[in-house]
């Protein structure tokens, strides 16, 4: 068990960090370079001003027409994405680990706050799941991979919560937690989770076309 | 995953699609798709396909989906059935797949770009649908009626097989007609150095010649310097842009721009058409390598707006019936001319009632993007797939609107069928109709 723990929290962690950072850089750089060759139109029409105008309207809750039309989805998705970033980055348990390995640390969240955020992420994943199963227009475009991606994202939060509260079998769960966190990190650049990097590009390009060429809003 | 079959997939017979289908072989399909994917697509397509999180949030953007509630008709639903499969299978799809993909791309999407304003990522569905059309064009599986107009474009450089002498005859005939009203009115043909060249779509000389008459009266009254060319290049429409025939689209735009150069005009003013504007302002110019059109292109909406604002035309009496406004996607989502439409309507009409949603958020008429040009086989589907527009119109009718102003030819065609089928009994007008009717005209 100890050997497994050491392996998972040692070498594997490095592998996942390398895949995450390396993969992210690779995906972005290769997209940007490919676009230069195949889609120079994006460069010709890119306008920073209008790209930002559009991006702002889509990262502020309820700033776009569609967000106002889908209030439940808007609230859930913003809560989800915010907690998804904040919880792991400012978790006491995680910061302790950084401190132990590299002697760096930063502020952390009180346990109850971290707990609530974790539950928000898990709850949001359940909401997304129900949407996929129930709404015909979402169901129609859902493939197995969408469920797998949801599971990949939910897993570290479920297992982390489990470990933290020392529920039965938490030792194994601890290992499962680290492993699932690593899987999630590694999956980001290579699955649809890469939407994280491409969002500013796709939104910004559409914002540029709408703003600078078509003189119209796109939100 | 299981292949969900759309309600729409009861295929509609179409000579072009069916004959095209009979000529396909799997090798040809695969080779054609691979060529197009490698030579004509790249980062954008790849990013759009891999970024879409399958959230379905674009559904509520599409009038087709809103009308029939068939998930296969949501923007992403159409993409799932076409480009995702094509990319995933690297072109190894069968003839029936192409048949269905072609019908989706040509008759169930208007390329109206409303979904780009509803997808959180701004994924451009219409761009991907155009890739599907490009593939279908290269495979020769295009709807018969649409292909006929594209054929006309390549043979005559206009959309309606209008012969060169017919064109000039029509202009002279309209000039004579208008001279009954205003004795010294001219339709200046091929006048080098005029301020602008007025370009129209071929259905104007063919079916609605009185629009040329009206434009002539407006220009004459405003005292502007204008001309119309005697040679091919006068037609600004472009069904090749919609059929996937980009090469031909380029030829058409080139002829159009070169005609302006030959006439040494300062700008092109174009009639009330949406897709033609898109072709010269946004798409065709890019194909030819121009970031912006090589010569300023002014849509009638803007031109009328300027004439009214500068007081070059004056309104004698306002249009009495209550009007409502249909915002054409290609000049509103495509060029932001919506406030100008409103200014003109308020200047010329007693009462204007807004449809909702409006401006950039307006629903398309379901005729655009070449859909109406796919002709009678698809007409019923086209009208049924826009019951949401009928609801929108019924709503303003109940508030008293009797006339719909739609400054776009395609929209007219689409709205006419909707008004008729859903028994809405409303009049349809161009801005030019209203201005012509209400303006002060010079005394004989
Ligand atoms: C990006 C992926 C990860 C996410 C999203 C994540 C998330 C979480 C969450 C939500 C908790 C529980 C907090 C609570 O309920 O208050 C937690 C606890 C924990 N995580 Fe992670 N984690 C990730 C990766 C990792 C990795 C890679 C390690 C180890 C190398 C790790 C080590 C721990 C430890 C030790 C705890 C505390 C368990 C306890 O207190 O007993 N996590 N994590
Ligand atoms: C700044 C970065 C990010 C942005 C701007 C962003 C944006 C979005 C947007 C716009 C959606 C569309 C659907 C919705 O509104 O919920 C979405 C969905 C989703 N995002 Fe993100 N995201 C980001 C980062 C992440 C990360 C890092 C993850 C997980 C590792 C993630 C996981 C998800 C999941 C699982 C969904 C799908 C929900 C479903 O199944 O319907 N996102 N994201
Ligand atoms: S018709 Fe318009 S809203 Fe519907 S999919 Fe096509 S571009 Fe999008
Ligand atoms: S809204 Fe955008 S990301 Fe969501 S399914 Fe539609 S195209 Fe895909
Ligand atoms: S026909 Fe009119 S409403 Fe329809 S796509 Fe064209 S401009 Fe839009």
């Amino acid at each position: 068990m100890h050997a497994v723990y050491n392996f998972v929290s040692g070498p594997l962690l490095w592998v996942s960090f390398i895949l995450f950072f390396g993969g992210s850089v690779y995906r972005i750089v290769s997209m940007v370079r490919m676009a230069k060759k195949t889609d120079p139109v994006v460069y010709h029409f890119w306008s920073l001003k209008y790209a930002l105008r559009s991006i702002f309207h889509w990262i502020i809750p309820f700033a776009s027409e569609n967000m106002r039309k889908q209030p439940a989805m808007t609230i859930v998705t913003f809560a989800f994405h915010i907690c998804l970033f904040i919880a792991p980055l400012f978790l006491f348990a995680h910061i302790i680990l950084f401190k132990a390995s590299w002697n760096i640390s930063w502020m952390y969240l009180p346990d109850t706050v971290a707990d609530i955020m974790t539950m928000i992420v898990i709850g949001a994943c359940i909401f997304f799941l129900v949407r996929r199963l129930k709404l015909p227009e979402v169901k129609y475009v859902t493939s197995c991979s969408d469920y797998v991606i949801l599971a990949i994202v939910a897993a570290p939060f479920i297992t982390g919560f489990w470990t933290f509260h020392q529920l039965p079998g938490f030792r194994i769960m601890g290992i499962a937690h680290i492993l699932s966190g690593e899987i999630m990190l590694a999956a980001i650049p290579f699955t649809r989770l890469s939407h994280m990097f491409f969002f500013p590009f796709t939104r910004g390009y559409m914002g540029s076309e709408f703003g600078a060429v078509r003189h119209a809003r796109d939100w | 995953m299981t292949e969900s079959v759309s309600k729409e997939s009861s295929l509609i017979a179409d000579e072009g699609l069916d004959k095209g289908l009979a000529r396909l072989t799997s090798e040809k399909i695969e080779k054609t798709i691979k060529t197009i994917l490698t030579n004509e697509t790249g980062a954008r397509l790849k990013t759009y396909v891999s970024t879409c999180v399958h959230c379905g949030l674009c559904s509520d953007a599409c009038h087709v989906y809103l009308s029939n509630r068939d998930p296969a008709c949501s923007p992403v639903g159409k993409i799932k059935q076409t480009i995702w499969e094509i990319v995933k299978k690297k072109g190894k799809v069968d003839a029936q797949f192409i048949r269905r993909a072609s019908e989706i791309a040509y008759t169930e999407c208007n390329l109206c770009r409303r979904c780009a304003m509803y997808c959180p990522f701004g994924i451009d569905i219409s761009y991907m649908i155009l890739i599907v059309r490009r593939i279908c064009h290269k495979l020769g599986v295009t709807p018969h009626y649409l292909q006929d107009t594209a054929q006309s474009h390549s043979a005559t450089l206009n959309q309606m097989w209008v012969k060169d002498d017919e064109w000039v005859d029509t202009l002279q005939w309209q000039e004579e007609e208008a001279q009954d009203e205003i004795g010294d009115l001219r339709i200046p043909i091929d006048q080098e150095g005029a301020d602008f060249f007025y370009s129209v779509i071929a259905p104007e000389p063919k079916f609605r010649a009185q629009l040329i008459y009206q434009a002539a009266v407006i220009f004459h009254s405003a005292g502007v310097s204008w001309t119309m060319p005697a040679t091919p290049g006068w037609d600004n429409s472009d069904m090749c842009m919609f059929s996937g025939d980009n090469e031909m689209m380029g030829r058409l735009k080139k002829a159009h721009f070169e005609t302006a150069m030959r006439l040494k005009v300062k700008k092109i003013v174009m009639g009330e058409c949406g897709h033609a504007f898109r072709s010269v302002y946004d798409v065709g110019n890019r194909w030819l390598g121009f970031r912006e059109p090589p010569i300023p292109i002014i849509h009638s909406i803007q031109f009328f707006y300027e004439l009214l604002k500068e007081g070059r035309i004056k309104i004698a009496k306002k249009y009495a019936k209550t009007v409502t406004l249909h915002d054409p996607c290609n000049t509103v989502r495509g060029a932001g001319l919506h406030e100008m439409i409103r200014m003109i309507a308020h200047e010329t009409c007693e009462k204007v009632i807004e449809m909702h949603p409006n401006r950039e958020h307006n629903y398309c008429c379901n005729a655009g993007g070449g859909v109406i040009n796919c002709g009678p086989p698809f007409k019923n589907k086209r009208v049924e797939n826009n019951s949401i527009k009928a609801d929108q119109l019924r709503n303003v009718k109940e508030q008293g609107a009797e006339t719909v102003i739609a400054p776009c030819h395609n929209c007219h065609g689409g709205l006419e069928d909707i008004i008729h089928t859903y028994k809405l009994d409303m009049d349809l007008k161009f801005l030019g109709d209203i201005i012509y009717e209400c303006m002060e005209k010079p005394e004989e």
Side-chain angles (χ1 to χ4, degrees):
Chain A
M1 187 99 142
H2 215 74
V4 178
Y5 180 88
N6 283 341
F7 177 67
V8 170
S9 64
L12 262 193
L13 187 61
W14 281 108
V15 172
S16 84
F17 278 150
I18 289 167
L19 284 174
F20 172 67
F21 288 108
S24 305
V25 171
Y26 168 77
R27 284 297 304 273
I28 295 173
V29 169
S30 65
M31 188 274 284
V32 166
R33 287 172 67 176
M34 186 180 187
K36 268 217 169 81
K37 228 174 74 202
T38 63
D39 296 82
V41 61
V42 176
Y43 290 88
H44 295 319
F45 288 89
W46 183 267
S47 141
L48 189 61
K49 173 178 154 199
Y50 290 111
L52 290 176
R53 182 179 82 160
S54 178
I55 290 169
F56 278 129
H57 278 95
W58 285 93
I59 55 169
I60 297 168
F62 298 104
S64 74
E65 180 70 22
N66 206 15
M67 287 189 215
R68 290 190 289 272
K69 283 192 138 163
Q70 310 266 359
M73 184 64 177
T74 304
I75 292 169
V76 172
T77 197
F78 274 95
F80 166 80
H81 281 96
I82 291 167
C83 297
L84 179 79
F85 279 96
I86 304 293
L89 282 178
F90 299 97
L91 200 66
F92 184 65
H94 289 177
I95 291 170
I96 292 283
L97 295 174
F98 278 104
K99 176 113 182 135
S101 312
W102 297 321
N103 199 25
I104 46 166
S105 66
W106 53 92
M107 56 175 233
Y108 56 87
L109 295 166
D111 288 348
T112 36
V113 176
D115 253 11
I116 292 168
M117 290 188 132
T118 304
M119 286 188 285
I120 288 177
V121 172
I122 297 169
C125 286
I126 294 170
F127 176 88
F128 294 144
L129 179 68
V130 172
R131 253 186 112 242
R132 285 211 178 278
L133 293 168
K134 292 284 172 218
L135 296 187
E137 76 273 23
V138 189
K139 193 170 177 191
Y140 184 74
V141 293
T142 295
S143 53
C144 286
S145 59
D146 294 299
Y147 297 114
V148 174
I149 286 172
L150 265 184
I152 289 179
V153 175
F157 291 86
I158 297 172
T159 52
F161 187 83
W162 195 302
T163 315
F164 180 74
H165 291 277
Q166 311 221 330
L167 301 174
F170 69 89
R171 277 179 215 289
I172 296 198
M173 271 303 165
I175 293 178
H177 170 70
I178 300 171
L179 198 61
S180 62
E182 290 161 354
I183 291 174
M184 180 178 113
L185 278 181
I188 291 176
F190 304 105
T191 62
R192 274 193 285 291
L193 293 176
S194 60
H195 68 267
M196 172 178 158
F197 318 118
F198 294 134
F199 170 80
F201 294 96
T202 55
R203 188 78 260 167
Y205 172 61
M206 201 33 76
S208 304
E209 288 273 12
F210 266 76
V213 180
R214 299 176 193 148
H215 313 296
R217 296 169 300 163
D218 66 331
W219 55 86
Chain B
M1 285 267 101
T2 51
E3 272 309 303
S4 334
V5 180
S6 145
K7 272 187 252 165
E8 301 288 336
S9 67
S10 47
L11 295 178
I12 293 173
D14 177 275
E15 218 185 311
L17 296 182
D18 295 327
K19 284 197 177 145
L21 186 73
R23 288 191 297 261
L24 291 181
T25 60
S26 26
E27 297 78 56
K28 186 174 167 191
I29 296 174
E30 192 184 342
K31 190 162 161 264
T32 308
I33 292 181
K34 278 196 169 145
T35 312
I36 290 181
L37 290 186
T38 9
N39 295 346
E40 301 185 16
T41 74
R44 252 191 305 173
L45 178 62
K46 195 165 176 235
T47 308
Y48 287 153
V49 171
S50 63
T51 301
C52 170
V53 292
H54 306 180
C55 65
L57 287 172
C58 47
S59 307
D60 282 354
C62 187
H63 51 283
V64 182
Y65 170 77
L66 290 172
S67 296
N68 65 19
R69 292 277 160 192
D70 180 353
C73 288
S74 77
V76 61
K78 288 175 255 201
I79 292 302
K80 173 200 153 96
Q81 295 172 83
T82 55
I83 204 81
W84 286 358
E85 287 294 305
I86 289 173
V87 170
K88 197 167 80 192
K89 300 205 170 126
K90 299 196 174 69
K92 284 198 183 56
V93 292
D94 62 19
Q96 276 306 324
F97 175 92
I98 294 293
R99 171 68 167 78
R100 173 72 191 128
S102 177
E103 197 176 320
I104 294 171
Y106 288 110
T107 73
E108 291 168 21
C109 172
N110 306 83
L111 313 174
C112 76
R113 303 192 272 217
R114 193 170 191 263
C115 42
M117 312 169 57
Y118 281 69
C119 167
F121 297 98
I123 289 177
D124 194 348
I125 301 283
S126 73
Y127 164 76
M128 289 188 274
I129 292 288
L130 268 172
I131 296 173
V132 180
R133 291 191 183 190
R134 177 78 173 148
I135 290 170
C136 294
H137 159 72
K138 287 280 184 186
L139 287 171
V141 187
T142 45
H144 181 69
Y145 280 80
L146 181 68
Q147 190 56 40
D148 181 72
T149 59
Q151 231 85 298
S152 167
H153 274 307
S154 63
T156 65
L157 291 183
N158 74 69
Q159 193 196 128
M160 293 269 124
W161 303 99
V162 178
K163 296 199 196 84
D164 293 354
D165 56 339
E166 275 173 358
W167 162 246
V168 179
D169 279 353
T170 308
L171 296 184
Q172 288 177 339
W173 163 48
Q174 286 310 310
E175 181 179 74
E176 276 167 31
E177 295 276 310
Q179 280 169 350
D180 287 345
E181 193 181 352
I182 300 172
D184 59 346
L185 181 142
R186 296 297 316 272
I187 294 186
I189 299 179
D190 240 23
Q191 200 156 92
E192 264 189 29
D195 271 353
F196 67 88
F197 139 38
Y198 182 58
S199 72
V200 295
I201 65 172
E204 289 206 13
K206 194 86 180 174
F207 305 120
R208 299 190 192 210
Q210 90 283 0
L211 289 175
I212 297 176
Y213 168 135
Q214 289 178 6
V217 171
I218 296 172
F219 298 154
H220 177 86
S221 311
V224 292
S225 143
W226 66 296
T227 188
M228 290 182 98
T231 53
W234 52 266
D235 180 10
N236 53 29
S237 73
D238 208 323
M239 279 307 131
C240 297
M241 166 175 74
F242 288 147
S243 74
D245 191 350
N246 297 345
E247 291 78 6
M248 194 53 223
M249 167 185 73
R251 262 185 69 203
L252 292 170
K253 295 310 101 175
K254 193 154 174 267
H256 191 59
F257 293 138
E258 281 178 354
T259 303
M261 303 296 168
R262 178 176 70 74
L263 292 170
K264 302 192 173 62
V265 292
K266 297 193 189 77
K267 61 189 174 195
I268 298 173
V269 172
M270 50 190 299
E272 292 179 60
C273 180
H275 93 272
F277 188 68
R278 175 184 186 141
S279 78
V280 291
Y281 174 76
D282 193 341
V283 184
N285 52 315
R286 295 188 189 189
W287 176 267
L288 293 174
F290 297 109
R291 193 177 185 281
E292 272 105 34
I295 171 165
I297 303 268
I298 313 285
H299 193 273
S300 277
I301 297 171
Q302 184 180 343
F303 194 67
F304 292 152
Y305 165 84
E306 285 166 4
L307 292 181
L308 279 168
K309 210 175 70 174
E310 290 160 13
R312 304 187 77 138
I313 41 180
K314 300 215 165 43
I315 299 306
K317 56 151 188 34
K318 284 192 165 186
Y319 186 77
K321 290 185 188 172
T322 302
V323 303
T324 189
L325 308 175
H326 169 79
D327 291 285
C329 323
N330 285 318
T331 48
V332 169
R333 246 187 315 282
L337 302 183
H338 40 278
E339 296 309 335
M340 295 185 190
I341 300 176
R342 280 160 182 77
M343 180 276 193
I344 300 169
H346 286 282
E347 286 284 303
T348 54
C349 303
E350 290 288 353
K351 190 165 177 214
V352 183
I353 302 185
E354 287 285 356
M355 278 194 263
H356 292 279
N358 55 46
R359 297 179 167 82
E360 291 101 325
H361 287 272
N362 186 38
Y363 297 129
C364 169
C365 63
N366 209 18
V371 173
I372 195 170
N373 308 75
C374 296
F378 303 97
K379 181 181 163 192
N380 288 342
K381 180 166 89 168
R382 168 166 58 79
V383 176
E384 281 162 20
N385 278 348
N386 211 357
S387 61
I388 189 92
K389 188 89 227 173
D391 295 344
Q392 215 188 7
L393 288 168
R394 196 176 295 111
N395 201 304
V396 281
K397 187 185 156 80
E398 280 161 11
Q399 297 172 50
E402 293 172 89
T403 301
V404 186
I405 299 181
C408 165
H409 276 276
N410 264 309
C411 302
H412 262 244
L415 294 176
E416 198 171 284
D417 291 335
I418 289 171
I419 289 172
H420 182 76
T421 309
Y422 294 92
K423 303 197 168 50
L424 296 170
D425 189 29
M426 297 170 93
D427 306 324
L428 256 180
K429 299 274 184 197
F430 288 99
L431 287 171
D433 292 327
I434 304 265
I435 294 175
Y436 169 78
E437 198 177 316
C438 301
M439 68 193 247
E440 278 177 13
K441 295 181 194 111
E443 292 301 313
E444 166 63 13

